[in-house]
Amino acid sequence: MKKQLASLAALLSTVFFNVSVYAASEQDLQNSFDPYVKGFPQFKELKPGLVIDKTNLEQFKAILDPGLQYVIQNDWHQIKVGPSTQFQINQKFIEASRQNLNKAQLGEKVGDINHYISGRPFIEEPDLKDPRAGEKLAWNFRAGAGVGDSGVIYPFYWRYRDLMSGKIEKTVKFSFNILKFKHRVEEPAPEIKPNSADLAVAIYAKVFEPQDLKNTQLLILHADNDHKPQDAYMYLGFQRRVRRMAPGQYTDAFLGSDVMIEDFEGFNGRISDMKWHYKGAQNLLLPMFNHREMKLATDLPIEKDGYQFIDVNGQGGCFPDVTWQLRKTFILEVEPLDPKHPISKRMFYLDAQSMHIVRTLIYDRKGQLWKVGTLGKTHPDAHLPENKNLGSPVDDIFSAVDVQTKHCTTGQFKTKVDHKANPTSLFQVQNLRGGD
Protein backbone atom coordinates (compact mmCIF):
# COMPACT_ATOMS: atom_id res chain seq x y z
CA MET A 1 0.00 0.00 0.00
CA LYS A 2 2.82 2.39 0.91
CA LYS A 3 4.56 1.67 -2.41
CA GLN A 4 1.32 2.35 -4.30
CA LEU A 5 0.84 5.66 -2.50
CA ALA A 6 4.45 6.64 -3.18
CA SER A 7 4.02 5.81 -6.87
CA LEU A 8 0.81 7.82 -7.02
CA ALA A 9 2.49 10.78 -5.33
CA ALA A 10 5.37 10.62 -7.80
CA LEU A 11 2.95 10.47 -10.73
CA LEU A 12 0.93 13.42 -9.46
CA SER A 13 4.13 15.40 -8.90
CA THR A 14 5.26 14.66 -12.46
CA VAL A 15 1.89 15.67 -13.89
CA PHE A 16 1.80 18.82 -11.77
CA PHE A 17 5.12 20.08 -13.03
CA ASN A 18 4.77 18.89 -16.63
CA VAL A 19 1.48 20.66 -17.33
CA SER A 20 3.09 23.90 -16.16
CA VAL A 21 0.47 24.98 -13.66
CA TYR A 22 2.63 28.05 -13.21
CA ALA A 23 3.16 28.95 -16.86
CA ALA A 24 6.44 30.67 -17.70
CA SER A 25 6.18 34.42 -18.15
CA GLU A 26 8.04 37.10 -20.06
CA GLN A 27 9.93 37.81 -16.85
CA ASP A 28 10.97 34.16 -16.67
CA LEU A 29 12.25 34.43 -20.23
CA GLN A 30 14.28 37.52 -19.43
CA ASN A 31 15.71 35.90 -16.30
CA SER A 32 16.64 32.76 -18.22
CA PHE A 33 18.62 34.57 -20.91
CA ASP A 34 20.07 37.20 -18.57
CA PRO A 35 20.60 35.77 -15.10
CA TYR A 36 22.95 38.68 -14.32
CA VAL A 37 20.52 41.55 -14.76
CA LYS A 38 20.98 42.39 -11.06
CA GLY A 39 24.74 41.93 -11.17
CA PHE A 40 27.31 39.18 -11.39
CA PRO A 41 27.89 36.75 -8.51
CA GLN A 42 30.59 37.58 -5.98
CA PHE A 43 32.73 35.49 -3.68
CA LYS A 44 34.90 36.65 -0.81
CA GLU A 45 38.39 37.69 -1.96
CA LEU A 46 37.78 36.39 -5.49
CA LYS A 47 38.96 38.87 -8.11
CA PRO A 48 40.33 38.87 -11.67
CA GLY A 49 43.97 37.89 -11.81
CA LEU A 50 43.80 35.65 -8.74
CA VAL A 51 45.46 32.26 -9.20
CA ILE A 52 43.89 29.34 -7.35
CA ASP A 53 46.35 26.55 -6.62
CA LYS A 54 47.02 23.95 -3.96
CA THR A 55 48.00 26.57 -1.39
CA ASN A 56 44.68 28.44 -1.37
CA LEU A 57 42.36 25.69 -2.59
CA GLU A 58 40.53 25.32 0.71
CA GLN A 59 39.47 28.96 0.63
CA PHE A 60 37.72 28.61 -2.74
CA LYS A 61 36.36 25.05 -2.67
CA ALA A 62 32.79 26.30 -2.53
CA ILE A 63 33.06 27.67 -6.09
CA LEU A 64 34.98 24.76 -7.63
CA ASP A 65 33.43 21.52 -8.88
CA PRO A 66 34.87 18.30 -7.37
CA GLY A 67 36.90 17.48 -10.49
CA LEU A 68 38.59 20.87 -10.44
CA GLN A 69 39.30 20.45 -6.74
CA TYR A 70 40.85 17.05 -7.49
CA VAL A 71 43.31 18.23 -10.15
CA ILE A 72 44.30 21.31 -8.14
CA GLN A 73 44.79 19.24 -4.97
CA ASN A 74 47.09 16.91 -6.94
CA ASP A 75 49.06 19.96 -8.08
CA TRP A 76 48.32 19.12 -11.71
CA HIS A 77 46.64 22.41 -12.51
CA GLN A 78 46.27 26.00 -11.37
CA ILE A 79 43.51 28.26 -12.60
CA LYS A 80 43.51 32.00 -13.17
CA VAL A 81 40.36 33.97 -12.45
CA GLY A 82 38.92 36.32 -15.05
CA PRO A 83 36.05 38.83 -14.80
CA SER A 84 32.49 37.53 -15.09
CA THR A 85 31.00 38.74 -18.37
CA GLN A 86 27.80 38.65 -20.37
CA PHE A 87 27.44 36.00 -23.06
CA GLN A 88 24.38 37.49 -24.70
CA ILE A 89 22.25 34.96 -26.54
CA ASN A 90 21.19 35.26 -30.18
CA GLN A 91 18.18 37.56 -30.46
CA LYS A 92 16.52 35.29 -33.03
CA PHE A 93 16.84 32.41 -30.58
CA ILE A 94 15.34 34.53 -27.79
CA GLU A 95 12.49 35.65 -30.04
CA ALA A 96 11.78 32.04 -31.05
CA SER A 97 11.67 31.17 -27.35
CA ARG A 98 9.22 34.01 -26.79
CA GLN A 99 6.97 33.03 -29.69
CA ASN A 100 6.87 29.42 -28.49
CA LEU A 101 6.63 30.14 -24.77
CA ASN A 102 4.92 27.31 -22.86
CA LYS A 103 4.26 25.24 -26.01
CA ALA A 104 6.83 22.50 -25.40
CA GLN A 105 5.78 19.75 -23.01
CA LEU A 106 7.40 16.56 -21.87
CA GLY A 107 5.63 13.38 -22.85
CA GLU A 108 4.92 10.35 -20.73
CA LYS A 109 8.38 8.78 -21.17
CA VAL A 110 11.86 10.23 -20.79
CA GLY A 111 12.88 11.39 -24.25
CA ASP A 112 9.36 12.48 -25.22
CA ILE A 113 8.90 16.15 -26.07
CA ASN A 114 5.73 17.46 -27.67
CA HIS A 115 4.97 20.68 -29.56
CA TYR A 116 8.57 21.90 -29.54
CA ILE A 117 9.35 24.16 -32.51
CA SER A 118 12.48 26.21 -31.80
CA GLY A 119 14.19 28.33 -29.17
CA ARG A 120 14.63 27.28 -25.53
CA PRO A 121 11.81 24.87 -24.72
CA PHE A 122 11.70 25.24 -20.92
CA ILE A 123 12.25 28.81 -19.77
CA GLU A 124 11.22 28.55 -16.12
CA GLU A 125 13.82 28.31 -13.36
CA PRO A 126 14.39 24.60 -12.62
CA ASP A 127 12.84 23.41 -9.37
CA LEU A 128 14.40 20.75 -7.14
CA LYS A 129 10.88 19.56 -6.33
CA ASP A 130 10.21 18.87 -10.01
CA PRO A 131 11.16 15.22 -10.70
CA ARG A 132 11.69 16.04 -14.39
CA ALA A 133 13.67 19.26 -13.99
CA GLY A 134 16.85 17.48 -15.10
CA GLU A 135 15.17 16.20 -18.23
CA LYS A 136 13.98 19.72 -19.09
CA LEU A 137 17.53 21.03 -18.73
CA ALA A 138 18.70 18.23 -21.03
CA TRP A 139 16.30 19.50 -23.70
CA ASN A 140 17.42 23.08 -23.10
CA PHE A 141 21.00 21.97 -23.65
CA ARG A 142 20.07 20.07 -26.80
CA ALA A 143 18.23 23.11 -28.17
CA GLY A 144 21.19 25.46 -27.71
CA ALA A 145 24.21 23.21 -28.29
CA GLY A 146 26.70 23.94 -31.04
CA VAL A 147 27.51 27.05 -33.03
CA GLY A 148 24.12 28.32 -34.11
CA ASP A 149 22.41 26.31 -36.83
CA SER A 150 25.46 25.61 -38.98
CA GLY A 151 29.05 25.33 -37.79
CA VAL A 152 32.46 24.22 -39.01
CA ILE A 153 35.44 23.25 -36.87
CA TYR A 154 38.64 23.23 -38.91
CA PRO A 155 41.40 22.64 -38.25
CA PHE A 156 40.76 20.58 -35.15
CA TYR A 157 43.92 19.21 -33.53
CA TRP A 158 43.52 16.33 -31.06
CA ARG A 159 46.62 15.43 -29.10
CA TYR A 160 46.99 12.26 -27.05
CA ARG A 161 49.27 12.89 -24.07
CA ASP A 162 50.85 11.14 -21.12
CA LEU A 163 49.70 13.11 -18.09
CA MET A 164 52.84 12.54 -16.05
CA SER A 165 55.56 12.96 -18.69
CA GLY A 166 53.80 15.34 -21.07
CA LYS A 167 54.84 13.23 -24.04
CA ILE A 168 52.59 13.78 -27.08
CA GLU A 169 51.87 10.28 -28.36
CA LYS A 170 49.76 11.19 -31.37
CA THR A 171 48.30 14.24 -33.12
CA VAL A 172 45.12 13.83 -35.18
CA LYS A 173 43.94 16.64 -37.45
CA PHE A 174 40.18 16.73 -38.07
CA SER A 175 37.41 18.75 -39.59
CA PHE A 176 33.93 18.67 -38.02
CA ASN A 177 30.77 19.97 -39.71
CA ILE A 178 27.51 20.36 -37.75
CA LEU A 179 24.12 21.17 -39.25
CA LYS A 180 20.73 21.56 -37.62
CA PHE A 181 17.93 20.24 -39.80
CA LYS A 182 15.09 21.12 -37.40
CA HIS A 183 14.34 23.66 -34.66
CA ARG A 184 16.34 26.32 -36.49
CA VAL A 185 16.21 30.10 -36.08
CA GLU A 186 18.19 30.94 -39.24
CA GLU A 187 16.62 30.53 -42.66
CA PRO A 188 15.36 28.12 -43.69
CA ALA A 189 13.51 28.14 -40.36
CA PRO A 190 12.35 26.23 -38.46
CA GLU A 191 13.36 23.25 -40.69
CA ILE A 192 15.42 22.39 -43.75
CA LYS A 193 13.28 20.61 -46.32
CA PRO A 194 13.20 18.02 -47.72
CA ASN A 195 14.02 16.07 -44.57
CA SER A 196 12.65 12.61 -45.27
CA ALA A 197 14.68 11.02 -42.46
CA ASP A 198 13.25 13.55 -39.98
CA LEU A 199 16.71 14.51 -38.74
CA ALA A 200 17.27 17.00 -35.96
CA VAL A 201 21.07 17.37 -36.21
CA ALA A 202 23.84 15.81 -38.29
CA ILE A 203 27.59 15.70 -37.67
CA TYR A 204 30.25 14.89 -40.24
CA ALA A 205 33.91 14.47 -39.30
CA LYS A 206 36.97 13.76 -41.43
CA VAL A 207 40.59 12.96 -40.52
CA PHE A 208 43.45 14.57 -42.47
CA GLU A 209 46.44 13.44 -40.40
CA PRO A 210 48.23 11.17 -39.46
CA GLN A 211 48.68 9.04 -42.55
CA ASP A 212 47.45 5.80 -40.96
CA LEU A 213 44.09 7.44 -40.12
CA LYS A 214 43.86 9.75 -43.14
CA ASN A 215 40.39 9.96 -44.70
CA THR A 216 38.69 8.21 -41.81
CA GLN A 217 35.20 9.73 -41.76
CA LEU A 218 32.35 9.71 -39.29
CA LEU A 219 28.71 10.54 -39.93
CA ILE A 220 26.24 10.87 -37.05
CA LEU A 221 22.55 11.36 -37.81
CA HIS A 222 20.34 12.34 -34.89
CA ALA A 223 16.66 11.66 -35.51
CA ASP A 224 14.22 14.21 -34.16
CA ASN A 225 12.47 11.34 -32.39
CA ASP A 226 14.82 10.69 -29.45
CA HIS A 227 13.62 7.10 -29.15
CA LYS A 228 14.87 6.10 -32.60
CA PRO A 229 18.13 4.11 -32.58
CA GLN A 230 21.23 6.21 -33.04
CA ASP A 231 22.45 6.16 -36.62
CA ALA A 232 26.17 6.49 -37.24
CA TYR A 233 28.53 5.41 -39.99
CA MET A 234 32.28 5.26 -40.28
CA TYR A 235 34.45 5.15 -43.38
CA LEU A 236 37.91 3.71 -42.82
CA GLY A 237 40.29 5.00 -45.46
CA PHE A 238 42.67 2.04 -45.25
CA GLN A 239 39.77 -0.42 -45.71
CA ARG A 240 37.93 1.76 -48.26
CA ARG A 241 34.52 0.77 -46.97
CA VAL A 242 31.64 2.24 -45.00
CA ARG A 243 30.35 0.40 -41.98
CA ARG A 244 27.40 1.16 -39.78
CA MET A 245 28.39 1.60 -36.17
CA ALA A 246 26.86 -0.60 -33.50
CA PRO A 247 25.20 1.24 -30.57
CA GLY A 248 27.93 0.07 -28.18
CA GLN A 249 30.59 1.86 -30.21
CA TYR A 250 29.22 5.21 -29.02
CA THR A 251 30.88 4.48 -25.69
CA ASP A 252 34.17 3.12 -27.03
CA ALA A 253 37.31 5.25 -26.98
CA PHE A 254 37.04 7.19 -30.25
CA LEU A 255 40.13 6.49 -32.39
CA GLY A 256 42.08 5.56 -29.27
CA SER A 257 41.47 8.89 -27.50
CA ASP A 258 40.08 9.59 -24.02
CA VAL A 259 36.78 10.66 -25.59
CA MET A 260 33.65 8.68 -26.46
CA ILE A 261 31.38 9.67 -29.34
CA GLU A 262 28.76 10.05 -26.63
CA ASP A 263 30.94 12.79 -25.10
CA PHE A 264 30.97 15.09 -28.14
CA GLU A 265 29.82 18.63 -27.28
CA GLY A 266 29.36 17.50 -23.68
CA PHE A 267 26.65 14.95 -24.47
CA ASN A 268 25.96 13.42 -27.86
CA GLY A 269 23.68 10.56 -26.84
CA ARG A 270 19.95 10.03 -26.51
CA ILE A 271 18.10 11.72 -23.68
CA SER A 272 15.91 8.63 -23.41
CA ASP A 273 18.94 6.48 -22.54
CA MET A 274 19.60 8.31 -19.28
CA LYS A 275 18.14 9.19 -15.90
CA TRP A 276 18.40 12.95 -15.41
CA HIS A 277 18.65 14.32 -11.87
CA TYR A 278 18.73 18.06 -11.27
CA LYS A 279 21.03 18.74 -8.31
CA GLY A 280 20.51 22.49 -8.02
CA ALA A 281 22.07 25.80 -9.06
CA GLN A 282 25.40 27.03 -7.77
CA ASN A 283 27.84 29.84 -8.53
CA LEU A 284 30.94 28.09 -9.87
CA LEU A 285 34.06 29.01 -11.79
CA LEU A 286 33.65 28.04 -15.45
CA PRO A 287 36.15 28.10 -18.37
CA MET A 288 34.59 31.01 -20.28
CA PHE A 289 36.81 33.79 -21.60
CA ASN A 290 37.84 36.08 -24.48
CA HIS A 291 40.03 34.26 -27.00
CA ARG A 292 42.03 37.34 -27.97
CA GLU A 293 43.06 37.91 -24.35
CA MET A 294 44.37 34.37 -23.76
CA LYS A 295 47.85 32.94 -24.20
CA LEU A 296 48.00 31.41 -27.68
CA ALA A 297 49.86 28.29 -28.75
CA THR A 298 53.20 28.62 -30.51
CA ASP A 299 53.64 24.91 -31.25
CA LEU A 300 50.78 24.68 -33.78
CA PRO A 301 50.73 26.25 -37.26
CA ILE A 302 49.36 29.79 -37.48
CA GLU A 303 46.41 29.91 -39.87
CA LYS A 304 46.58 32.01 -43.07
CA ASP A 305 44.17 34.52 -41.52
CA GLY A 306 46.50 34.91 -38.52
CA TYR A 307 44.39 32.76 -36.21
CA GLN A 308 46.25 31.07 -33.36
CA PHE A 309 44.95 28.34 -31.11
CA ILE A 310 44.43 28.49 -27.36
CA ASP A 311 47.42 27.09 -25.49
CA VAL A 312 47.56 24.31 -22.91
CA ASN A 313 49.38 24.17 -19.57
CA GLY A 314 49.48 22.26 -16.29
CA GLN A 315 50.65 18.72 -15.71
CA GLY A 316 51.53 17.07 -19.02
CA GLY A 317 50.05 19.98 -20.97
CA CYS A 318 46.65 18.41 -20.30
CA PHE A 319 44.69 21.52 -19.30
CA PRO A 320 43.41 24.59 -21.16
CA ASP A 321 45.43 27.75 -20.49
CA VAL A 322 42.40 30.00 -20.05
CA THR A 323 40.78 32.18 -17.42
CA TRP A 324 37.78 31.03 -15.41
CA GLN A 325 34.85 33.20 -14.39
CA LEU A 326 32.24 32.89 -11.65
CA ARG A 327 28.88 32.07 -13.22
CA LYS A 328 25.48 30.69 -12.32
CA THR A 329 25.65 26.96 -13.02
CA PHE A 330 23.04 24.22 -13.23
CA ILE A 331 24.25 20.83 -12.00
CA LEU A 332 22.97 17.57 -13.47
CA GLU A 333 23.66 14.01 -12.35
CA VAL A 334 23.08 11.65 -15.27
CA GLU A 335 22.90 7.86 -14.99
CA PRO A 336 22.84 5.46 -17.95
CA LEU A 337 19.90 3.07 -18.02
CA ASP A 338 21.97 0.36 -19.71
CA PRO A 339 23.68 -1.76 -17.02
CA LYS A 340 26.44 -2.57 -19.54
CA HIS A 341 27.35 1.07 -20.02
CA PRO A 342 31.02 1.63 -19.05
CA ILE A 343 30.21 4.46 -16.64
CA SER A 344 28.01 4.73 -13.57
CA LYS A 345 27.20 8.42 -13.95
CA ARG A 346 28.21 11.78 -15.33
CA MET A 347 28.05 15.13 -13.59
CA PHE A 348 27.25 17.90 -16.06
CA TYR A 349 27.84 21.57 -15.26
CA LEU A 350 25.71 23.81 -17.48
CA ASP A 351 26.29 27.51 -17.86
CA ALA A 352 22.86 28.86 -16.91
CA GLN A 353 22.85 31.68 -19.45
CA SER A 354 23.71 29.62 -22.54
CA MET A 355 22.74 26.12 -21.30
CA HIS A 356 26.05 24.82 -22.67
CA ILE A 357 27.84 21.97 -20.89
CA VAL A 358 31.29 23.28 -20.02
CA ARG A 359 32.42 20.76 -17.43
CA THR A 360 31.86 17.01 -17.22
CA LEU A 361 32.93 14.54 -14.54
CA ILE A 362 32.72 10.87 -15.47
CA TYR A 363 32.60 8.08 -12.86
CA ASP A 364 33.44 4.43 -13.50
CA ARG A 365 31.18 1.48 -12.69
CA LYS A 366 32.51 1.43 -9.12
CA GLY A 367 31.56 5.06 -8.61
CA GLN A 368 35.14 6.33 -8.67
CA LEU A 369 36.14 9.50 -10.55
CA TRP A 370 37.43 8.40 -13.95
CA LYS A 371 37.61 11.40 -16.29
CA VAL A 372 37.56 15.16 -15.94
CA GLY A 373 36.30 17.03 -19.00
CA THR A 374 36.59 20.73 -19.85
CA LEU A 375 35.07 22.49 -22.86
CA GLY A 376 36.44 26.03 -22.91
CA LYS A 377 34.18 28.67 -24.47
CA THR A 378 35.16 32.02 -25.90
CA HIS A 379 32.94 35.04 -26.33
CA PRO A 380 32.09 35.17 -30.06
CA ASP A 381 32.96 38.87 -30.34
CA ALA A 382 36.53 38.11 -29.19
CA HIS A 383 37.04 35.39 -31.75
CA LEU A 384 36.82 35.23 -35.56
CA PRO A 385 35.12 38.08 -37.49
CA GLU A 386 32.60 35.53 -38.84
CA ASN A 387 31.42 34.85 -35.29
CA LYS A 388 30.85 38.45 -34.23
CA ASN A 389 27.35 38.98 -32.84
CA LEU A 390 26.70 35.24 -33.04
CA GLY A 391 24.98 35.26 -29.67
CA SER A 392 26.39 31.93 -28.51
CA PRO A 393 29.56 30.86 -26.71
CA VAL A 394 32.05 29.40 -29.19
CA ASP A 395 33.84 26.11 -28.51
CA ASP A 396 37.56 26.93 -28.37
CA ILE A 397 39.46 24.14 -26.59
CA PHE A 398 38.74 20.86 -24.85
CA SER A 399 40.50 18.60 -22.43
CA ALA A 400 39.61 15.06 -21.33
CA VAL A 401 41.81 13.81 -18.50
CA ASP A 402 41.72 10.17 -17.42
CA VAL A 403 42.75 10.49 -13.78
CA GLN A 404 43.05 6.71 -13.37
CA THR A 405 45.38 5.85 -16.27
CA LYS A 406 47.11 9.27 -16.05
CA HIS A 407 46.42 10.09 -19.69
CA CYS A 408 44.65 12.88 -21.53
CA THR A 409 43.37 14.09 -24.88
CA THR A 410 43.38 17.79 -25.69
CA GLY A 411 41.62 19.51 -28.57
CA GLN A 412 42.67 22.90 -30.00
CA PHE A 413 40.60 24.24 -32.85
CA LYS A 414 39.03 26.98 -34.93
CA THR A 415 35.23 27.10 -34.87
CA LYS A 416 33.14 29.32 -37.10
CA VAL A 417 29.64 29.81 -38.42
CA ASP A 418 29.58 28.89 -42.10
CA HIS A 419 26.29 28.09 -43.81
CA LYS A 420 27.86 27.60 -47.25
CA ALA A 421 30.23 24.91 -45.97
CA ASN A 422 27.35 22.66 -44.87
CA PRO A 423 25.27 21.54 -47.87
CA THR A 424 22.84 18.79 -46.91
CA SER A 425 24.64 16.44 -49.34
CA LEU A 426 27.63 16.45 -46.97
CA PHE A 427 25.55 14.58 -44.41
CA GLN A 428 24.64 11.59 -46.54
CA VAL A 429 26.16 8.11 -46.42
CA GLN A 430 26.98 8.35 -50.14
CA ASN A 431 29.32 11.23 -49.35
CA LEU A 432 31.48 8.92 -47.24
CA ARG A 433 32.07 6.64 -50.20
CA GLY A 434 33.16 9.56 -52.33
CA GLY A 435 35.39 11.14 -49.71
CA ASP A 436 38.76 9.93 -50.99
Side-chain angles (χ1 to χ4, degrees), residues 105-114 132 135 139 226-227:
Q105 290 187 343
L106 298 179
E108 180 181 349
K109 297 179 293 185
V110 174
D112 289 345
I113 187 170
N114 303 319
R132 303 188 77 176
E135 192 183 341
W139 284 112
D226 187 72
H227 295 284

Side-chain angles (χ1 to χ4, degrees), residues 31-43:
N31 292 341
S32 182
F33 287 108
D34 186 6
Y36 308 116
V37 66
K38 295 181 180 179
F40 292 106
Q42 305 290 324
F43 192 80

Side-chain angles (χ1 to χ4, degrees), residues 300-315:
L300 287 171
I302 298 174
E303 292 290 286
K304 291 180 180 179
D305 60 4
Y307 181 88
Q308 290 179 264
F309 304 88
I310 293 291
D311 206 359
V312 293
N313 66 4
Q315 183 70 41

Side-chain angles (χ1 to χ4, degrees), residues 213-230:
L213 293 175
K214 186 176 180 180
N215 206 35
T216 296
Q217 298 165 66
L218 175 68
L219 178 64
I220 303 172
L221 305 173
H222 284 288
D224 194 46
N225 180 348
D226 187 72
H227 295 284
K228 283 190 175 181
Q230 292 172 317

